[in-house]
Amino acid sequence: MKLAGRVGQVSPSMTLAIDAKAKAMKADGIDICSFSAGEPDFDTPKHIVEAAKTALDQGKTRYGPAAGEPKLREAIAQKLQHVNNLCYGADNIIVTNGGKQSLYNLMMAMIDPGDEVIIPAPYWLSYPEMVKLAGGTPVIIPTTAEAGYRITAEQLRQAITPQTKLFILNSPSNPTGMVYTPDEIRAIAAVVVEHDIWVVSDEIYEKILYDGAQHLSIGAASPEAYDRTIVSSGFAKTYAMTGWRIGFLAAPVPIIQAVSTIQGHSTSNVCTFAQYGAIAAYEGPQTCVTEMVTAFAERRQVMLDALNAIPGLQCPKPDGAFYVFPDISKLGIKSIDFCSALLEQKQVAAIPGIAFGADSCIRLSYATGLDTIRKGMERLDAFVRSL
Ligand SMILES: *Cc1c(COP(=O)(O)O)cnc(C)c1O
């Protein structure tokens, strides 16, 4: 059988594959320390679960509008106004099956063959694949550990061509955990406006910040930047709701309408009663978020201290998300070889940086218990010393 050409152009998700292998080894009774998962280890907060249960009891089990329950679209618009200083109404919002579907549908709605999409590396591994699936061309801007894995406004300017349609900004970042400062965001926004390109701002980790780091949505940098911004976010990371599959886009109405049309012919609405859990997440108390971030902050410190004691690793201190991204280039081994040997010899699961466009690095998630972190870092230390 001959499959469609587009299948050959994309790679399967390496993070999902390695995480599945680690989970299978664990199920076989192997003592695994897994740092591969891109998800919080906490349970979804009770009041959110209760709201979804109540919605089920109330019969919220039927098809709803493709763009989402009106009440949730309104709650998201309110949150963006009050938390992010972004002036959106409910008609500027579409509710999607997670941030992943938001971005996929957006590429389908905006990208034509020949369009270029600028992506700083290290990047979330799905960005270039989604661009390719839409027929566009990913244009990668590399960054280094020394530069804190951040691009400058000048680097963005130099990557722009007449074919540039869109720039993907992800702060706080998966996989590096870096956060752009408000001044850096303003400088990048000025370039976006000057060259009249679009920016999609993936803000899924906006609440997971440390050491006083601040998140500025690029759409709030100036009215001109707002006109060219699409915000992509969701509930998975902030509220430990990865399996619920709820994300959203906020954008000018014509973009939301285009994405709704695509969604109306693919998945239709997000699970109706799950959307009521999301309403509770935004309208209920936010202490659950603070508690999770406090736990992440302690784990981050334990992991960083352990990593910095391992000779040959270089690891910038991340200000957000729940990942560290140590540079292993001094060890003279490629990231895939490093991670497969680490898993086989020491039963420690990490993701090779090559999946994120940085073969000199590995990604470790600290969204896991302190005991696992301590044990896993001891094993990593022994592994590196054995190389
Ligand atoms: C987890 C993640 C998403 C989206 O996750 P969903 O579970 O689909 O909501 C989007 N962007 C980045 C950078 C992520 O890490």
Side-chain angles (χ1 to χ4, degrees):
M1 187 204 23
K2 187 178 172 301
L3 293 171
R6 75 178 70 85
V7 179
Q9 288 170 16
V10 296
S11 336
S13 168
M14 203 182 289
T15 47
L16 293 184
I18 294 182
D19 195 46
K21 184 166 179 197
K23 280 179 177 149
M25 286 171 80
K26 196 169 209 164
D28 284 346
I30 299 172
D31 175 26
I32 283 271
C33 293
S34 183
F35 305 112
S36 56
E39 62 179 333
D41 56 324
F42 300 107
D43 290 331
T44 305
K46 275 245 150 44
H47 66 283
I48 298 175
V49 174
E50 287 307 321
K53 281 186 186 168
T54 305
L56 255 182
D57 288 338
Q58 289 173 342
K60 308 273 191 207
T61 54
R62 299 183 192 282
Y63 287 138
E69 291 293 296
K71 220 179 142 212
L72 177 55
R73 294 173 79 190
E74 183 59 39
I76 293 168
Q78 289 291 327
K79 179 265 174 195
L80 290 166
Q81 282 180 32
H82 297 125
V83 176
N84 305 101
N85 202 17
L86 293 166
C87 183
Y88 289 119
D91 56 350
N92 294 112
I93 311 295
I94 179 168
V95 180
T96 63
N97 286 280
K100 199 174 252 184
Q101 197 201 16
S102 287
L103 293 161
Y104 179 80
N105 286 352
L106 181 71
M107 296 306 156
M108 288 296 156
M110 285 191 79
I111 300 305
D112 270 327
D115 286 345
E116 294 179 356
V117 179
I118 297 176
I119 306 172
Y123 45 73
W124 188 47
L125 74 181
S126 294
Y127 297 148
E129 308 308 307
M130 289 169 171
V131 171
K132 286 188 267 174
L133 282 169
T137 308
V139 174
I140 309 296
I141 310 180
T143 65
T144 59
E146 290 79 27
Y149 299 123
R150 300 197 291 271
I151 62 158
T152 61
E154 193 46 40
Q155 279 177 296
L156 175 61
R157 191 193 313 275
Q158 280 169 13
I160 294 173
T161 75
Q163 282 70 50
T164 304
K165 182 76 180 270
L166 186 63
F167 162 56
I168 305 182
L169 177 65
N170 174 217
S171 177
S173 152
N174 175 5
T176 66
M178 67 81 214
V179 181
Y180 285 87
T181 66
D183 280 346
E184 290 166 342
I185 293 284
R186 286 186 203 102
I188 286 171
V191 175
V192 166
V193 171
E194 182 191 323
H195 291 271
D196 196 18
I197 61 172
W198 286 91
V199 54
V200 54
S201 182
D202 182 348
E203 306 184 359
I204 195 120
Y205 295 100
E206 64 161 327
K207 288 287 161 205
I208 306 178
L209 296 169
Y210 313 105
D211 296 343
Q214 273 185 309
H215 167 79
L216 175 68
S217 175
I218 190 164
S222 71
E224 296 76 21
Y226 169 87
D227 290 339
R228 292 165 177 81
T229 297
I230 301 127
V231 177
S232 174
S233 192
F235 296 82
K237 310 294 164 51
T238 311
Y239 298 96
M241 291 171 68
T242 45
W244 292 60
R245 311 311 303 132
I246 312 182
F248 61 84
L249 289 173
V253 171
I255 293 182
I256 295 303
Q257 284 172 344
V259 173
S260 298
T261 304
I262 286 168
Q263 185 153 302
H265 288 297
S266 49
T267 52
S268 299
N269 67 283
V270 174
C271 171
T272 306
F273 51 87
Q275 293 186 62
Y276 285 82
I279 294 169
Y282 271 173
E283 292 185 345
Q286 302 300 306
T287 40
C288 53
V289 179
T290 324
E291 283 163 17
M292 287 190 269
V293 173
T294 305
F296 289 143
E298 184 185 6
R299 296 157 174 198
R300 160 178 165 271
Q301 199 56 54
V302 170
M303 190 174 259
L304 274 173
D305 289 347
L307 282 172
N308 286 328
I310 303 176
L313 293 189
Q314 186 195 1
C315 190
K317 194 172 189 179
D319 287 325
F322 37 66
Y323 311 100
V324 290
F325 205 62
D327 187 315
I328 57 163
S329 55
K330 290 214 177 80
L331 305 174
I333 176 171
K334 293 213 174 299
S335 63
I336 291 197
D337 299 336
F338 185 97
C339 290
S340 39
L342 181 64
L343 187 56
E344 259 160 49
Q345 294 171 23
K346 299 287 178 188
Q347 294 76 51
V348 171
I351 309 283
I354 194 167
F356 311 99
D359 201 13
S360 55
C361 299
I362 61 167
R363 189 193 77 176
L364 300 165
S365 160
Y366 49 86
T368 187
L370 279 173
D371 290 348
T372 305
I373 293 174
R374 291 204 179 93
K375 187 160 67 173
M377 290 304 103
E378 274 170 28
R379 292 183 187 181
L380 178 65
D381 183 85
F383 175 75
V384 170
R385 287 172 200 272
S386 76
L387 286 174

